[in-house]
Amino acid sequence: MTEVRMPKPGDAITEAEITEFFHEDGGSVTEGEPLYSIATDKVEMDIESPATGTVSWKVSEGGTYEVGELIAVIS
């Protein structure tokens, strides 16, 4: 099982909004492919999957979350 946590896209950034999930809950993901997209007041970026498996989202699309918060689990 691999935990997916909100990354820190910049030094002064403490939170980011999840703008889009690229895979539905329970869907298959492959390591290295885009998993979800985030946005801050300074940057927008796609976050790659750190592992291959089945994704289980722990947060909601459109929500704003702190850096380090658990976003999903890949099993």
Side-chain angles (χ1 to χ4, degrees):
M1 177 171 62
T2 302
E3 292 184 344
V4 179
R5 297 194 174 268
M6 179 64 78
K8 185 174 177 97
D11 289 338
I13 296 173
T14 60
E15 64 183 19
E17 177 187 357
I18 295 179
T19 56
E20 183 178 3
F21 291 151
F22 297 125
H23 299 275
E24 62 185 50
D25 193 55
S28 295
V29 297
T30 302
E31 183 176 353
E33 72 182 5
L35 185 59
Y36 62 100
S37 181
I38 63 171
T40 69
D41 58 344
K42 297 182 182 200
V43 67
E44 292 182 20
M45 62 181 10
D46 292 345
I47 307 301
E48 295 180 353
S49 177
T52 297
T54 302
V55 65
S56 176
W57 296 108
K58 304 301 182 188
V59 296
S60 299
E61 191 175 271
T64 299
Y65 303 97
E66 299 288 322
V67 167
E69 190 164 342
L70 182 65
I71 302 298
V73 174
I74 299 173
S75 54

